[in-house]
Every structure is written in structure tokens, then in C-alpha cells.
Amino acid sequence: MIMVVIYLDKGEEYKTVSSSEEVFNKIKDSKFYGVAKTCSSIGLAEEFIDNIREKHSDANHNVNAYRVYNNNNIIEYADDDGEPAGSSGKPILQQISTRDLINTVVVVTRYFGGTKLGIGGLIRAYGETAKLAIEAAGIKNLILYKKLKFKGPYDYIGNVLGQLEKFKADIKEQGYEEGQFVILAVLKYNIVNNLIKEIREITSDKIEINITDSFYL
């Protein structure tokens, strides 16, 4: 078992797998099944691993690895699941990390066919199957979005709506609170500062603006 903690600010974008498709790879009589999945936490990654272990409970090995963002750190984990140390989990993790994927878990299941592959053969077999699983799943970029709350005198609602339209924000909700208008809107991270600056300027800083949430899409 290998676990590595790397400090990293995930930043404005990151890559992960876009779907989950099981692949099959036969090497010298051993059958290998690989599957990759996106996961937003260590708990979800381990839950997925447990599900695959249950699905392939009769297999000789369910080797796994994941790379997950957690509290400004990248957690890299690999488990050989009974195979010789460093022969299986590490090459799976390498397929994830060389593509700079985050929030990604891969499990490669092996049904032993009677022919020993040796350390080098295992490294190639597990790495190749993990590669096939990632390719089958596909890769997508996730972009950071911010959710903002705008609150102010009704006289300025037209100014705010005009800027939200200009910056192509997604307006989620409009209403009233304490006699003032309230607007909730979502927009890409790289637009937020310019939008806030313009709204403050054209309303003489009469609008209360708060970022209420951040998420990736």
C-alpha cells in the first residue's frame, strides 16, 4: 500500500474522467478487468473500490489506485491487493498521475489463468489495463464557478441585471429581503472580479455582494 500527500491548490480547472466503462484485457491466460471513475472524495473512491470488490469477489486480486483532492492536498493512494509490492497499484497510479487527473479512481481486477507473469509482466499488464480503462472513460475538464448574492436598493436592480447579462451570468433566483432586491447568480471564476468592479462603479458601491459558494462543472 502506498499513500502520498502532495500540497496543491486545485485552482480554476482540473481534469478527471468523464464516464465509467469496464474494459477487458487478456494477458497470458490471466483475465484483467479495468474500470475508472470520477470521485469527489476519498470516501467515494473507497466506496467504489468496495463495490468492485463485491462485484468481482471471486477474483484473485482487485488492485486499485486513486488521486483525490482533499483540503488543499492531493492524496495519491495505491494498493497491490496481494500482488508483489510495487507490481500493480503503482503502475495504475502512474497512469492516473501522468495524465494529471484529479478526483479519479481506477480498479483493475485480475483472474489468474495459471501462467505467472513476473514483476515486469505484472507492471505492464496492470498499467496497460488502467490505461485502457481511462481511455474508455474519457477525460473532461472541470471549471471553477462562483455563486454570488447581490442585495441592494430596488433603484439599482436594472444596473445589476444589465451587468449580469453583459457577463453572461446564470441567474438562479430573484426576490426581496428586508425591503431590498436579492439576486443569486452563477458565473465562471475568471469573470467574478471584473463583474464586481463594474457593479460597484455604476452603483456607487450601493450593492452588497457576497460569494456564497464555489464548485466545479
Side-chain angles (χ1 to χ4, degrees):
M1 183 173 65
I2 301 170
M3 179 174 284
V4 179
V5 180
I6 305 169
Y7 177 78
L8 179 67
D9 181 357
K10 188 164 55 173
E12 297 84 13
E13 298 185 41
Y14 75 93
K15 293 187 292 184
T16 188
V17 291
S18 58
S19 64
S20 187
E21 300 288 338
E22 187 174 73
V23 298
F24 172 72
N25 191 19
K26 188 173 181 180
I27 301 173
K28 290 186 178 180
D29 299 324
S30 282
K31 297 177 181 179
F32 292 85
Y33 295 87
V35 61
K37 184 176 176 63
T38 186
C39 54
S40 57
S41 68
I42 292 173
L44 289 175
E46 293 177 344
E47 180 182 321
F48 178 70
I49 293 167
D50 288 341
N51 289 340
I52 298 301
R53 281 178 174 153
E54 184 177 348
K55 177 182 177 180
H56 292 290
S57 59
D58 57 338
N60 299 92
H61 308 280
N62 286 289
V63 180
N64 56 83
Y66 58 74
R67 195 165 185 258
V68 176
Y69 182 81
N70 183 57
N71 294 328
N72 292 329
N73 294 308
I74 297 296
I75 308 298
E76 293 188 343
Y77 174 87
D79 183 3
D80 295 309
D81 194 37
E83 292 281 29
S87 68
S88 48
K90 188 175 180 180
I92 294 174
L93 180 59
Q94 187 174 15
Q95 292 296 325
I96 300 171
S97 60
T98 55
R99 289 166 177 78
D100 200 26
L101 301 178
I102 302 178
N103 289 359
T104 300
V105 56
V106 177
V107 183
V108 176
T109 299
R110 182 190 184 192
Y111 289 86
F112 180 58
T115 302
K116 293 185 177 181
L117 300 179
I119 298 296
L122 289 173
I123 291 172
R124 288 189 295 273
Y126 279 101
E128 178 183 302
T129 307
K131 178 183 176 183
L132 292 173
I134 292 171
E135 289 174 347
I139 294 174
K140 64 181 178 182
N141 284 356
L142 295 183
I143 299 173
L144 180 62
Y145 282 79
K146 301 285 186 179
K147 187 176 183 180
L148 285 78
K149 178 180 179 180
F150 303 88
K151 180 179 177 182
Y154 186 77
D155 290 347
Y156 295 100
I157 190 171
N159 300 96
V160 174
L161 289 172
Q163 291 302 311
L164 292 175
E165 182 179 355
K166 173 183 174 181
F167 283 90
K168 298 181 180 179
D170 182 9
I171 298 173
K172 296 296 185 182
E173 186 178 331
Q174 295 186 57
Y176 295 92
E177 185 179 299
E178 299 173 345
Q180 296 184 313
F181 76 81
V182 172
I183 299 173
L184 299 179
V186 170
L187 60 160
K188 290 182 181 179
Y189 73 95
N190 58 346
I191 298 174
V192 170
N193 289 338
N194 289 337
L195 171 65
I196 291 175
K197 180 181 177 181
E198 292 210 19
I199 288 179
R200 292 198 188 285
E201 286 179 355
I202 65 175
T203 64
S204 300
D205 204 15
K206 295 292 195 303
I207 305 301
E208 180 183 336
I209 305 173
N210 293 296
I211 297 174
T212 63
D213 195 11
S214 299
F215 53 90
Y216 289 84
L217 286 176

